[in-house]
Amino acid sequence: MSLDPGNRIIVALDTVDILGAKNLVRQLKGRVGGVKIGKELFTAHGPEGVVAIIEEGVPVFLDLKFHDIPNTVSAAVRAAVRLKPFILDIHASGGRAMMEAARDATNDEANKIGIKKPKLLAVTVLTSLNSKDLKEIGVGDPPVDQVKRLASLAQESGLDGVVCSAAEIRTLRSQCGDKFLILTPGIRPKWADLDDQKRVVTPSKAVSRGC
C-alpha cells in the first residue's frame, strides 16, 4: 500500500447501523486506504456485515483482536481469511505459539482459497491503557517498553506488523525496520473528545512521526 495521504487513513465504522456504514463507505471510497470493522459492527451483523461492506469495493481491516489458545485462534483466523479482509489482527500478548499458529493459518487459508494473503498484525498495548493500568495487570514497565517487547515478539513470530499508539512509532521504526507495518489507532484532533483513549496523538503529529 502506498503512503500517499489518502492511503494512510483507515476509517473506523464504529456503529451497528449497517445501512449507515454502507453509505459512509460509498462517500469514502477512493479517498481513504480502507475502513475498519470492529467488534461493534461485527457482533451486530456477523460475517454477512463484513461481506456487505467489502462488496462496496473498499479494503476492510477486520479488527477483532483474537486472543485465545493457539488452536482456537488458528480456526478463527481461517474463518476470517475467508471473508477476504486486507488486514487482520490478534493480540501479541497471546504469546509466540498463538501468533505463529495465526500466521500459519493466514498463509495456508489464503493459499487454499486462492486469494492474496491479508496482512496479519499484532495488537501491542491498547491506547486506552497507561502506566497505571499496566501496573494493575502486573506489567511494571511503561507502555513504550511493553510495546517494544511485544513488537519484537510479533516480528520474530513472522507477523507483518503491529498496532500501537503513534507515540511509539519512532521507537519501533528504529527497532523493527521500515518494512514492518505499524498501524496506529487513537489519532484525534485537539478538539475531539478522548472518550476512553489515553495515549492519543493529533493527525499532524502522527504524520510527522511517520504514520
Side-chain angles (χ1 to χ4, degrees), residues 16-17 21 23 39 42 61-62 67 92 117 125 138 141 157 162 182 193 195 197:
V16 297
D17 179 2
N23 286 334
K39 292 183 175 67
F42 188 83
F61 165 28
L62 189 54
H67 187 177
K117 182 186 79 68
V125 176
D141 293 328
S157 301
V162 293
I182 300 176
D193 291 335
D195 294 324
Q197 303 282 356

Side-chain angles (χ1 to χ4, degrees), residues 141-154:
D141 293 328
V144 65
D145 290 341
Q146 181 68 353
V147 169
K148 287 168 62 179
R149 181 181 297 115
L150 293 174
S152 178
L153 184 60

Side-chain angles (χ1 to χ4, degrees), residues 43-64:
T43 301
H45 299 283
E48 293 80 8
V50 179
V51 172
I53 298 299
I54 288 179
E55 286 179 345
E56 295 295 331
V58 297
V60 166
F61 165 28
L62 189 54
D63 179 29
L64 299 181

Side-chain angles (χ1 to χ4, degrees), residues 102-119:
R103 175 204 65 198
D104 292 344
T106 301
N107 294 340
D108 183 65
E109 196 64 28
N111 287 335
K112 183 184 296 185
I113 64 177
I115 64 169
K116 183 178 180 180
K117 182 186 79 68
K119 299 295 184 183

Side-chain angles (χ1 to χ4, degrees), residues 7 14 31-32 52 68 109 136 138 156 201:
N7 278 344
D14 291 337
R31 300 183 179 186
V32 298
D68 212 310
E109 196 64 28
E136 289 179 341
E156 291 172 7
V201 172

